[in-house]
Structures are given as structure tokens and as C-alpha cells.
Amino acid sequence: MKQTELQTRASMLEQKIAALPAGSIGTKTINGKTYFYHRWTENKKRHEKYLPAQEVETMRTQIEQRKLLEKELKELKKQLPTPRMRNHSVFSANVRTGAILRSFSANVRNFRKRECFQELHDFVYGEPQDRIFILYGLRRTGKTTLIRQIFAEMSDAELAQAAFIQISSKDTLARVNRELKALESQGMKYVFLDEVTLMEDFIEGAASFSDVFTACGMKIVLSGTDSLGFLFAEDEQLYDRCILLHTTFIPYREFESVLGIHSIDEYIRYGGTMSLGGIHYNEHSIFSSKESTDEYIDTAIARNIQHSLRCYQYEGHFRHLKELYDKNELTSAINRVVEDINHRFTLEVLTRDFKSHNLGISASNLRRDRQNPTDILDRIDLPTVIQNLRDLLETRNKAEQTVVISQVHADEIKEYLHLLDLTQEVDILHLPDVSTKSARTLIAQPGLRYAQADALIRSLLLDDTFSALSLSERTAVQERILNEIKGRMLEDIILLETKLANPEKQVFILQFPVGEFDMVIFDPAAASCRIYEIKHSAEAVPFQYRHLIDRDKCALTEHRFGQITGRYVLYRGPEQVIENVQYINIEHYLLNIVNS
């Protein structure tokens, strides 16, 4: 076999090996039940990860296949000459190239890949184009992992042409350009720059990446957490010269397929980052405590926005937020707005529950749709609870503020939260009064919302209102309220994912003088619609679909939005049909939501 054929075969084997898991499969017996674990060693450290029983045989086959390929590659490399070493002395300490990238990517080799990985892969290995690739999103959403997974799939020959530059706040565009020129002279083809928005002059000079280096055939990938900075650069310096890939939104199907956690309740509690949160990995979740959640909001969101505004147009785009920035109040204000959104969400949940008591709906009917029925809340002074919630909405004493957060400030901060893909609005329409319209704010990271709502409820239970209740009664109150919160969050998750999956359809909440449809999907092209109720319950009862079969509500809906082609209840139980209403399991719905 010729040398070129040997190298081609070696590269192919390396790519196949990179895609297969290393290590072995072990077991543990706990309380008489056997659990399987994938075990492997990296950098002289042993790692272990829980392995679902249904994946054991597939994993075992892949491990054996990897061993056979590694044996073949070892024999093949004996026939290849030792590759010529590159001169790395021209690079600074923050540039990694060649074989170093193999160890850099080692511990993500067995990680499952996000859906957006393919788009990055296609850019790296596709035809050259005079564009750069921008990978951006909030912290802990998998940006650097995606890059390392690209390195893990590269052959030795490809790694020899690849470089990873770790940017720091001390770097400048001039310094990075010198690094890129040195890399170009060394024949580097693939260059990845991480945390590029830390450079103070990035936004104003980003065009050099596409104007100079991509024109010479170099594939350049930029990544960073200051999402707003990339959007500013794309609007001006990189207009029509970049491909944007945002990682912030992580749908339920990726939470399940990538992290291996099969539970909508775990997604409610921990969803929103690629941290290993959930059944087996709670201790590593960013949203497992209020303290870590607040720190995430401060660093990943508030400081993200402030840093981008400070670096854009030489601090000329702060708009009304300039006065908050000048008085060092901006990050605090952003934190307050995010927390206020989630506190008001909690208030709405309890307000809605309070109203349902006053609408004459019996407690027995209410309890039919609860997972853990209890009558303890019937003894609670709900108006007092609601007032306590209002008192806790503010995160900072107004007396300590040097600048009051006006509505204009709040509105501009919310605009930036939307640009970060952290928030989305879903319309609330009304019938028969079509002139009335409002909106509900949805949060793309459910774990963030749940953590703040949970902390608020726990603080309320310390109030004197609950002093007469025993510990078990307070616990029951907490569980009941948190179940209400999970139910409302479930609605928001369904609405958000359905809206994003159906950009050419209208997804909204439809309210009537009494009652509502939790979700309507209106297809203007087909002049038809589907109506939904969304329940956190695992039980099916007629009370859940009473609005879906209400003749007056359905007549008003069809007059406005065309023929109703389906009536659905999304819940946590098995699929079934009751009175022509289709019950669909929520997790199944979210796993198959693409273009509903």
C-alpha cells in the first residue's frame, strides 16, 4: 500500500475511533438491583457514568469495535514515517496546536452531541467560503464542548493543521492578528478562538477575521459568552460575512438525548444548561441552589449585557441605561429585572389559583387535577400570601438605590434579554373581544425560573402567616404550591417549544370571559387550528377537557380561526382518546415536536 493510501486509511480509522467510546462497562448492585456504568480513564484519572440498561449492549459493541480499530491503527502506524514537528515557539502560551489538542479534547470524546454540532461540523469540513463561523450563547450551554468534539473527531493530519486560541481580557485584535499570521505561515487550516468577546476592541474590528484570513482559505470559528457583542458585530463589522449559531436554548429533547435524563420534572428544575443536572447529577447543576442561580444571572446575563454595551460604539449605545451604568447600578438593575420577571410569574400562579377559588369552582374539582391532593391550602389566607409575594418582589431596598429603575430602563433591559434568547413573548388573545391583547413572558432556561420561584416560596413559609402550621403541614403547603408552579412552567415550556418549532404558524393562549385554551396552533394557510389543554397531572379526568368540548367556546374559535382539526390534552400519562379528545404524553410530544 502506498504512503498516501496508508495516511488516508489512518485518518479514516482515527475518525472512526474518535466517534466510539473508550473504556469498559462495570456494574454495581444496590438493594438487590444491578446498575450499569461506563468507566474510562483520561489524563490518569478514572471516570464513571451511569448507563441505562437499554444502552448497555450498544455501548459494549461500540467499545469492542473501538479496540479492534485501535489495534489495526497501531499496526498501520508502524508503516508510516514519523511526522515532521512544527515550530511552536512562534506562538504564545494561549495557543494550542497539533497533538496538544488530542489531550484537550480527550474527556469529551464520549459525550453525546448537541443537534447543532452538525452545523459546525459542516462548516469545518465543507467547501471554503469567505465567512467566519460564530458560536455564541450564555455560559454552560456547550460552546467550548462543541469545539472540543470537533477536535476529537480530527485525524492526526487534520490536528496538525488546527489551532485553538484562548482569548483573555488582556488580548487585543492586534495581538490576535499577529497570532493568526503566524498560524497562516505554518499552514494552519482550522483556527478556533474561544471567548473572543473578552477583547475590548473586538466589536469595532471584527471584520479583519473575514476580510483577511478566511479569504486565504482558513476556516475560522469564533466563540464567546457575550452574545450581545456578537450581535452588535454581526450588525456592523461582520454584516453578511458570518454564520451565527446560538446555543442558549436547549429544548427538552436535547436535555434527554444529550444528558440522558428522561423526566420532564427534572427539566423543569434543572433545564437550561449543559451541566449534568438531574436524577444522577444534581450536585453539578447550576440551578440546584439560589446562590448558584444568582451567580449565573450576574455573570452570564447581567455582566454579559454590560460588557457588550461598554465595548460597542465606544460606550455610545447605552441609551437610557447610561445613567445606571455611570452610577454602577446597571448589573444590579439587570439582576433585579430578571428576578422580578420570575417573581411576578410566581405571583401570577398564586393569583390564578386564588381566583379559581373565588370563581365558585369547587375544591373537589380543583383537586382532581392535582398530583398530590391536599386541603391544607383551604385554611390559608391567600390574599395575605399574595401580599407577601408582592413585598418580596424587589431584590434591593429602594432606599439604597441611587437611581430608580424606571419603566424605560426595564423595557430596554428586557429588549436585551430577548436578544440573548433568554426570553420570548407569547400572545394572549381574547374572545369574543378581539381588540384585547396581552402577552406572557417565557424563560428559555426553566431551571433558572424554578430556582428563583422555589426560593421565594421557601422564604414565604418562614412568614408569620404559617407559624401556626406544623412542619409536615408547611411541607405539604410547599409541595402544593410548587406543583402549581410546575404546572404553569409546563405550559410555558410547551408554548415556547411549539412556537419555535412552528415559525409559519401562530401559537398563542386563547382566553374567554370564563376559562381558556392553554394553547392554540393556528395555521393561516390551511385556515384551521388545533386547541390544547396542558396538565401536570398523570391522570385523565373529564374536568381537564371541559373547555375543549364547550360548544360556545369552540364556535367562537372556529369563527375566528377556522375549523378545529384536533382537540388535545397534553399530560404526563399514557396516550388515549376520551370523548374525541386526544390525550398525548408530554414527554412524547416534546420529543417529536419538530414542525407540529
Side-chain angles (χ1 to χ4, degrees):
M1 190 179 293
K2 296 180 180 180
Q3 288 296 318
T4 54
E5 294 175 344
L6 289 172
Q7 290 173 344
T8 301
R9 177 60 180 169
S11 296
M12 184 182 68
L13 287 173
E14 286 172 342
Q15 290 184 359
K16 287 184 177 181
I17 290 169
L20 294 169
S24 61
I25 296 174
T27 60
K28 292 181 182 179
T29 301
I30 303 174
N31 295 328
K33 187 174 181 180
T34 300
Y35 295 87
F36 294 91
Y37 291 84
H38 176 211
R39 294 168 176 161
W40 71 99
T41 301
E42 290 172 1
N43 300 325
K44 300 181 180 180
K45 292 184 179 180
R46 179 177 170 178
H47 298 267
E48 186 175 88
K49 184 177 180 181
Y50 170 76
L51 187 63
Q54 63 269 25
E55 298 180 16
V56 171
E57 287 306 317
T58 300
M59 176 70 75
R60 183 174 285 119
T61 300
Q62 290 175 340
I63 289 174
E64 291 302 319
Q65 185 180 0
R66 180 190 174 98
K67 290 179 179 178
L68 291 173
L69 293 176
E70 286 175 334
K71 183 178 179 181
E72 180 183 350
L73 180 61
K74 183 178 180 181
E75 294 300 319
L76 189 61
K77 283 188 173 182
K78 293 178 180 178
Q79 305 174 53
L80 291 172
T82 303
R84 182 171 57 89
M85 298 298 293
R86 293 185 179 272
N87 178 17
H88 298 289
S89 60
V90 296
F91 306 136
S92 66
N94 63 345
V95 179
R96 300 172 183 172
T97 61
I100 298 174
L101 297 176
R102 184 68 72 201
S103 58
F104 176 60
S105 62
N107 65 345
V108 303
R109 186 182 301 278
N110 299 310
F111 283 16
R112 298 171 184 173
K113 296 179 177 65
R114 289 199 60 182
E115 294 171 2
C116 55
F117 173 83
Q118 190 60 47
E119 190 172 345
L120 175 60
H121 182 277
D122 291 346
F123 171 81
V124 171
Y125 293 106
E127 292 297 320
Q129 48 187 309
D130 293 341
R131 290 186 177 190
I132 61 174
F133 194 95
I134 293 178
L135 190 62
Y136 71 112
L138 295 180
R139 279 179 49 214
R140 306 300 291 275
T141 56
K143 300 179 297 299
T144 304
T145 297
L146 287 168
I147 293 173
R148 293 167 74 187
Q149 287 176 323
I150 288 289
F151 291 144
E153 290 197 351
M154 283 185 171
S155 66
D156 287 345
E158 289 166 337
L159 278 181
Q161 294 180 298
F164 178 86
I165 304 177
Q166 183 68 58
I167 302 297
S168 72
S169 57
K170 297 179 181 179
D171 285 316
T172 63
L173 269 176
R175 178 178 176 179
V176 171
N177 279 334
R178 287 195 298 270
E179 300 282 9
L180 288 174
K181 288 178 181 178
L183 290 169
E184 183 184 17
S185 68
Q186 293 279 315
M188 294 296 181
K189 183 178 179 182
Y190 314 102
V191 179
F192 300 78
L193 296 94
D194 196 22
E195 297 298 352
V196 70
T197 50
L198 290 178
M199 289 187 292
E200 296 285 329
D201 53 355
F202 165 72
I203 295 175
E204 303 303 329
S208 63
F209 293 113
S210 60
D211 289 348
V212 179
F213 298 102
T214 60
C216 300
M218 187 180 284
K219 297 289 186 71
I220 295 180
V221 176
L222 309 181
S223 69
T225 54
D226 280 7
S227 307
L228 206 56
F230 280 123
L231 293 179
F232 289 152
E234 188 268 343
D235 184 60
E236 292 190 359
Q237 292 288 315
L238 295 173
Y239 179 73
D240 200 34
R241 287 177 285 186
C242 66
I243 300 170
L244 291 170
L245 179 59
H246 205 173
T247 63
T248 293
F249 177 60
I250 302 168
Y252 173 77
R253 65 179 179 275
E254 283 197 276
F255 185 77
E256 180 172 309
S257 64
V258 178
L259 297 181
I261 301 170
H262 306 270
S263 169
I264 187 62
D265 275 358
E266 293 298 299
Y267 181 68
I268 289 172
R269 294 177 63 191
Y270 303 111
T273 71
M274 280 287 109
S275 299
L276 296 177
I279 296 173
H280 304 292
Y281 305 98
N282 286 348
E283 65 275 17
H284 300 303
S285 174
I286 287 173
F287 303 131
S288 60
S289 71
K290 184 179 186 300
E291 291 73 20
S292 60
T293 302
D294 290 346
E295 189 273 337
Y296 181 82
I297 294 171
D298 185 66
T299 59
I301 300 171
R303 297 186 188 279
N304 180 328
I305 294 173
Q306 175 164 304
H307 180 268
S308 297
L309 290 173
R310 182 167 58 83
C311 296
Y312 183 45
Q313 294 182 349
Y314 306 100
E315 299 189 7
H317 198 71
F318 273 101
R319 300 189 292 172
H320 294 93
L321 299 180
K322 187 68 164 65
E323 57 181 317
L324 293 177
Y325 173 72
D326 288 341
K327 294 183 179 293
N328 201 30
E329 288 276 340
L330 183 54
T331 56
S332 175
I334 296 169
N335 278 304
R336 287 184 53 222
V337 169
V338 174
E339 191 166 36
D340 187 64
I341 290 172
N342 291 326
H343 282 190
R344 291 188 184 279
F345 159 83
T346 309
L347 180 59
E348 288 174 9
V349 173
L350 287 184
T351 301
R352 185 174 66 171
D353 194 36
F354 170 66
K355 287 182 178 179
S356 65
H357 279 74
N358 286 344
L359 286 171
I361 299 173
S362 69
S364 61
N365 277 342
L366 280 171
R367 285 194 291 270
R368 287 178 196 170
D369 199 30
R370 307 294 187 233
Q371 182 184 12
N372 297 310
T374 175
D375 61 357
I376 293 179
L377 280 186
D378 295 336
R379 303 198 300 268
I380 293 178
D381 184 357
L382 284 179
T384 301
V385 172
I386 294 169
Q387 186 58 51
N388 288 339
L389 277 167
R390 291 194 180 103
D391 292 343
L392 291 171
L393 283 176
E394 296 296 333
T395 65
R396 184 171 180 178
N397 191 323
K398 289 185 178 181
E400 296 177 358
Q401 295 177 16
T402 56
V403 176
V404 175
I405 299 179
S406 67
Q407 190 60 46
V408 172
H409 293 146
D411 289 344
E412 289 187 4
I413 289 171
K414 289 177 181 177
E415 287 177 8
Y416 292 129
L417 295 177
H418 179 72
L419 286 174
L420 292 177
D421 281 355
L422 181 67
T423 62
Q424 286 271 348
E425 298 288 317
V426 65
D427 290 334
I428 302 175
L429 305 185
H430 299 259
L431 289 178
D433 182 9
V434 296
S435 63
T436 301
K437 182 180 177 181
S438 55
R440 181 188 292 183
T441 300
L442 311 179
I443 296 288
Q445 294 183 309
L448 186 155
R449 167 163 280 180
Y450 185 84
Q452 292 197 327
D454 176 71
L456 182 58
I457 295 303
R458 291 178 187 277
S459 67
L460 280 174
L461 289 178
L462 299 176
D463 190 85
D464 289 343
T465 304
F466 303 96
S467 60
L469 297 177
S470 67
L471 176 61
S472 61
E473 288 173 326
R474 291 198 304 273
T475 300
V477 169
Q478 178 178 300
E479 290 179 356
R480 169 68 182 273
I481 297 175
L482 290 178
N483 275 334
E484 291 288 338
I485 288 171
K486 287 179 181 178
R488 169 63 183 273
M489 287 188 64
L490 196 56
E491 293 178 20
D492 288 2
I493 289 167
I494 295 290
L495 285 162
L496 177 60
E497 296 211 21
T498 304
K499 178 180 179 179
L500 294 177
N502 295 273
E504 297 186 2
K505 299 175 184 176
Q506 296 179 27
V507 178
F508 52 87
I509 301 163
L510 185 58
Q511 293 186 342
F512 303 92
V514 177
E516 69 179 21
F517 295 154
D518 291 336
M519 182 172 71
V520 176
I521 303 177
F522 170 47
D523 186 345
S528 65
C529 64
R530 286 172 284 162
I531 56 179
Y532 294 79
E533 289 291 329
I534 303 167
K535 305 298 177 184
H536 188 250
S537 173
E539 298 180 0
V541 294
F543 183 76
Q544 297 166 336
Y545 58 81
R546 66 193 186 283
H547 296 314
L548 299 179
I549 60 175
D550 184 297
R551 291 184 179 180
D552 292 338
K553 291 182 176 65
C554 290
L556 286 170
T557 302
E558 289 194 316
H559 178 75
R560 184 72 180 174
F561 302 107
Q563 181 183 4
I564 296 174
T565 58
R567 295 170 171 82
Y568 305 90
V569 174
L570 304 179
Y571 79 136
R572 296 189 302 122
E575 300 198 5
Q576 56 183 307
V577 178
I578 305 175
E579 293 191 52
N580 292 321
V581 175
Q582 176 71 52
Y583 272 73
I584 300 176
N585 179 270
I586 282 172
E587 293 173 4
H588 177 78
Y589 176 85
L590 290 173
L591 290 174
N592 298 276
I593 200 171
V594 180
N595 209 295
S596 298

